[in-house]
Amino acid sequence: MDLLSIKWTINLLFCCLFVGVGCNSVDKKIYVHLNYTVPCVRLLNASHQIGCQSSLSGDVGVLHVLESEENLDWVLRTGPNPPYTVILESSLFTRSIMMKLKNGSSRVAGVAVVAPNTNPAENFSPHTTCPNENTGVYTENYDPALAHCNVTVWNPQGNGLSYEEFDFPIFSLKDDNDTQVIRQCYLDHNRPMNGSAPQYPLCAMQLYSHMSAVTDTATCMRRNDINFSISPEMVCDPLGDYNVWASTKPINNTAKGHKMWESVVIAAARLDSRSFFFDIAPGADSGVSGFVTLLAAAHALRNATQEAQPNRTILYTFFQGETFDYIGSSRMVYDMENKNFAVDLDNVHSVLEIGQVGLRTDSKLWLHSDPVSRRNGSVNDEVRKLINNLHSAATGLNFTLQEPNVSQPLPPSSFQRFLRARPIPGIVIEDHQSSFNNRFYESMYDNAEYLKISYPPNLTPEEQLEFVTDTAKALTEVATMVARALYKQAGGADGQLININADPKIVTQMLYGFLVRSNNAWFQQMIPSDLMSHLKDNPTNFYVGVAQQSSEPTLLVQHLLANFTGSTINITQENCQSQREDENDKESKHLYYYMWVQGAAPPNSTKREGFCVRSTVRLSKALSPAFDPLREFTSKDYSTWTESRWKTIKGRIFLVASHELEMLTLGVGVGVLLTSLLLTYFMSSKADILFSSGREPTNATY
Ligand SMILES: *[C@@H]1O[C@H](CO)[C@@H](O)[C@H](O)[C@H]1NC(C)=O
Ligand SMILES: *[C@@H]1O[C@H](CO)[C@@H](O)[C@H](O)[C@H]1NC(C)=O
Ligand SMILES: *[C@@H]1O[C@H](CO)[C@@H](O)[C@H](O)[C@H]1NC(C)=O
Ligand SMILES: *[C@@H]1O[C@H](CO)[C@@H](O)[C@H](O)[C@H]1NC(C)=O
Ligand SMILES: *[C@@H]1O[C@H](CO)[C@@H](O)[C@H](O)[C@H]1NC(C)=O
Ligand SMILES: *[C@@H]1O[C@H](CO)[C@@H](O)[C@H](O)[C@H]1NC(C)=O
Ligand SMILES: *[C@@H]1O[C@H](CO)[C@@H](O)[C@H](O)[C@H]1NC(C)=O
Ligand SMILES: *[C@@H]1O[C@H](CO)[C@@H](O)[C@H](O)[C@H]1NC(C)=O
Ligand SMILES: *[C@@H]1O[C@H](CO)[C@@H](O)[C@H](O)[C@H]1NC(C)=O
């Protein structure tokens, strides 16, 4: 045995024999729990499982900090102490390296990726090149020439890592002191010196992320059913959440199905996003830019639509789960087809969708449309009218609108699910002509920094909340254009357009709230007090999650939309929460939804003054019809994504001994155990004598 391991053994013995005396310092050295760990988890669809998992008791590997791709040889072939847990700087988190690790997985116990504090210079998208390839409108039946992104590859950066399966755990670590401890432990114990193998004890990392579900969705749903009859122990849950919607005119939401005389213009945006890791999905360009624009447009339209109500109703819809084969939009279309929504498809006049609009180049926005439905003359006419409305809405604003080549299909968008049902006229607004401008699509780098949301130094959080960034100004213009176009599209008078203007302050506050911190004074005022715990001091996670309750983004958008489109009414909290305006009111709840929000505290007071908001904002299920009501877990038309359940997610590092040392430790351990048993026996039999002057809580950790 070398000097180090002897020293270590002595430390260990010392620690074991003098519990509570010298142990803590040694304990820290050999045992560090990682505080901030974000795993990659397992998801399943009709035919595959993707993501990552560890064994039930966690996977242990000797730490290896990878320095370059060539350095992989140590992990995969030459290193003498496999398996290894590989620490990757984010620049090495590439498809090439990850696939080599995947193929050599017998020598790999896990991977920890150190998330950088600033975005990388290179492109990075772990998503596929053709998002939602099989569940949009462009199937072989619709137009074989347009299927499978034949004409335009939307996300050429996509390396597909998010859709691979790894049979070892992969975690993301923040670049902080934890990571420094890991690097130091590696340098101190594991680094091969002068080409010779490092000596025991070695620094090791153990990652726990065991996943309960295996194989595919049909298999795990079957196991759910079997388990449920014995104990309510599920193995997987369908991905899903709630869509948020509101209408400019109240629509009776109790009577579902077709509404005579109702003609609605759908204004849509998507809410969700994802990344390789479970709960980091900032979705700044991919989701937030679009739905914040739509929220601001809804706000800009409140007065105009109340004072000079246009003929058609504008229906704002915010779809959840679109990343995973259009869960939210496919569900709403399904509900419309089955008389399970407040209106049906016959009521839908047209669709205007706001996609990624945060990264304009040369101040251009692109109006995408579907070439196939436009082959029909009457549909084409309606699309042209919508385009004209958009153009006239953009006059005087600081950007130009252009159309891509007419033969180009739509980018991935919720509107595709409407077109799958029937040829509805519609436009999708994007910041790109063909492939995405977004270099970080569905990755953790699609964040505030990427949208250039930054603040002068030394601003307090309150000041940052109010500071109008250039991004906010730019999105405000888009929102103004969208609002005016919607108003015209709904049949509103031209004379009103000039009065419709989005508010940069609101846009900047939303960007701050969603991309920097939701726990801010403004968001706090908009929500009921019992939802305060949903507000966080960091960026919102837009991963859709599983369907049990509505997630933080859904709740926030629901309450913001109510504040922006609704009105405050002076009724009691009790009536408000019972969905009525007074004791005799039985009708309002069909038309409106009432929310009691906590409001702000007046000056010189700490007590908030709540109030009641009446709006047309509703939630509707964003759960794939494949689960409910169809129960077709191998559906080709609807999303079949489920998320596995798990029990423990954690990581820790410690020193491992060689096998001899482990046996020695075991021996010592048994010795200590016997000694302590004797001691305990002795102490408890003499306790009355030993502790007669009152007990003190002992400090021992064992
Ligand atoms: C399930 O996901 C895998 C991985 O992305 C994909 O290759 C496959 O086509 C999907 N299966 C279905 C039925 O959608
Ligand atoms: C991280 O380490 C630095 C330097 O060692 C120290 O100043 C700082 O307080 C540590 N931060 C935390 C959160 O422990
Ligand atoms: C983890 O968090 C705990 C409590 O917050 C702290 O005492 C400990 O030092 C942290 N660990 C590391 C490695 O920073
Ligand atoms: C490695 O080699 C250098 C020079 O060859 C020598 O000075 C150093 O002591 C060696 N280190 C170890 C750990 O053997
Ligand atoms: C065009 O679409 C309209 C409405 O969907 C339909 O009524 C009409 O028959 C279609 N025209 C042709 C030529 O297909
Ligand atoms: C539009 O696309 C078609 C087919 O891809 C191509 O032949 C045509 O040149 C394109 N037109 C323009 C203006 O780019
Ligand atoms: C919206 O929120 C603001 C700020 O809390 C508040 O002053 C206003 O009354 C609210 N309006 C509605 C309609 O809820
Ligand atoms: C709200 O209603 C109560 C009771 O009807 C009344 O006393 C109060 O002045 C009203 N408040 C406002 C702001 O109208
Ligand atoms: C709040 O307190 C300050 C100083 O205590 C006082 O001058 C001011 O009038 C108070 N404002 C209200 C609205 O009570």
Side-chain angles (χ1 to χ4, degrees), residues 350-366:
S350 49
V351 176
L352 178 62
E353 178 168 346
I354 328 297
Q356 312 186 80
V357 290
L359 300 168
R360 278 186 261 150
T361 50
D362 307 331
S363 293
K364 275 186 193 149
L365 282 178
W366 296 89

Side-chain angles (χ1 to χ4, degrees), residues 308-341:
Q309 180 73 252
N311 301 335
R312 297 195 185 94
T313 305
I314 301 168
L315 190 77
Y316 307 109
T317 56
F318 297 84
F319 292 119
Q320 267 287 11
E322 297 298 277
T323 307
F324 293 97
D325 293 326
Y326 302 118
I327 296 173
S329 55
S330 68
R331 178 55 187 251
M332 188 176 283
V333 171
Y334 180 88
D335 284 345
M336 285 182 173
E337 286 174 316
N338 290 282
K339 303 201 184 329
N340 227 337
F341 193 76

Side-chain angles (χ1 to χ4, degrees), residues 73-142:
D73 207 46
W74 180 266
V75 175
L76 297 176
R77 272 175 292 278
T78 56
N81 316 102
Y84 288 96
T85 299
V86 182
I87 311 295
L88 286 182
E89 297 300 332
S90 60
S91 57
L92 296 176
F93 183 54
T94 61
R95 182 171 180 93
S96 151
I97 288 181
M98 290 310 293
M99 293 316 276
K100 283 180 189 162
L101 290 172
K102 174 174 165 165
N103 295 331
S105 62
S106 60
R107 286 175 59 97
V108 179
V111 172
V113 184
V114 181
N117 293 322
T118 55
N119 284 350
E122 318 82 60
N123 301 336
F124 180 79
S125 170
H127 212 74
T128 53
T129 54
C130 187
N132 290 351
E133 178 172 352
N134 299 316
T135 43
V137 73
Y138 299 110
T139 58
E140 305 289 349
N141 308 338
Y142 196 66

Side-chain angles (χ1 to χ4, degrees), residues 566-573 575-576 579-582 585 588 592-597 610-615:
S567 41
T568 54
I569 54 169
N570 187 13
I571 61 172
T572 64
Q573 179 168 6
N575 282 335
C576 185
Q579 302 299 318
R580 61 191 182 193
E581 304 205 352
D582 59 47
D585 175 17
S588 307
Y592 295 107
Y593 191 76
Y594 298 82
M595 298 193 286
W596 186 266
V597 301
F611 56 89
C612 187
V613 183
R614 184 181 76 180
S615 71

Side-chain angles (χ1 to χ4, degrees), residues 7-16 21-32 653-655 702:
K7 201 173 118 205
W8 183 72
T9 316
I10 292 170
N11 273 347
L12 183 78
L13 285 169
F14 184 75
C15 166
C16 294
V21 183
C23 203
N24 277 350
S25 59
V26 179
D27 192 40
K28 263 194 202 124
K29 262 190 214 127
I30 60 176
Y31 225 55
V32 179
I653 61 175
F654 45 82
L655 294 182
Y702 298 90

Side-chain angles (χ1 to χ4, degrees), residues 54-240:
S54 75
S55 61
L56 193 54
S57 53
D59 290 349
V60 186
V62 169
L63 269 186
H64 183 79
V65 176
L66 198 69
E67 276 149 17
S68 66
E69 187 156 357
E70 292 74 56
N71 195 222
L72 267 181
D73 207 46
W74 180 266
V75 175
L76 297 176
R77 272 175 292 278
T78 56
N81 316 102
Y84 288 96
T85 299
V86 182
I87 311 295
L88 286 182
E89 297 300 332
S90 60
S91 57
L92 296 176
F93 183 54
T94 61
R95 182 171 180 93
S96 151
I97 288 181
M98 290 310 293
M99 293 316 276
K100 283 180 189 162
L101 290 172
K102 174 174 165 165
N103 295 331
S105 62
S106 60
R107 286 175 59 97
V108 179
V111 172
V113 184
V114 181
N117 293 322
T118 55
N119 284 350
E122 318 82 60
N123 301 336
F124 180 79
S125 170
H127 212 74
T128 53
T129 54
C130 187
N132 290 351
E133 178 172 352
N134 299 316
T135 43
V137 73
Y138 299 110
T139 58
E140 305 289 349
N141 308 338
Y142 196 66
D143 186 341
L146 304 181
H148 308 296
C149 292
N150 261 347
V151 174
T152 309
V153 176
W154 296 107
N155 186 33
Q157 264 71 259
N159 64 24
L161 276 183
S162 291
Y163 289 87
E164 290 294 332
E165 201 226 335
F166 298 93
D167 56 8
F168 46 78
I170 305 179
F171 280 50
S172 169
L173 306 173
K174 240 191 214 143
D175 199 354
D176 59 7
N177 288 3
D178 263 16
T179 343
Q180 219 35 57
V181 170
I182 296 171
R183 290 199 186 98
Q184 200 55 48
C185 196
Y186 167 78
L187 289 178
D188 291 350
H189 298 282
N190 294 13
R191 200 140 102 127
M193 290 297 269
N194 295 347
S196 69
Q199 302 290 318
Y200 280 104
L202 295 172
C203 192
M205 181 186 265
Q206 183 170 30
L207 299 176
Y208 293 81
S209 65
H210 180 68
M211 297 289 143
S212 312
V214 287
T215 315
D216 56 36
T217 288
T219 310
C220 79
M221 292 305 280
R222 198 169 339 109
R223 270 193 52 201
N224 277 349
D225 289 345
I226 297 169
N227 284 3
F228 194 73
S229 57
I230 316 165
S231 68
E233 177 118 335
M234 298 289 183
V235 291
C236 68
D237 305 278
L239 291 186

Side-chain angles (χ1 to χ4, degrees), residues 376-379 423:
N376 173 320
S378 60
V379 173

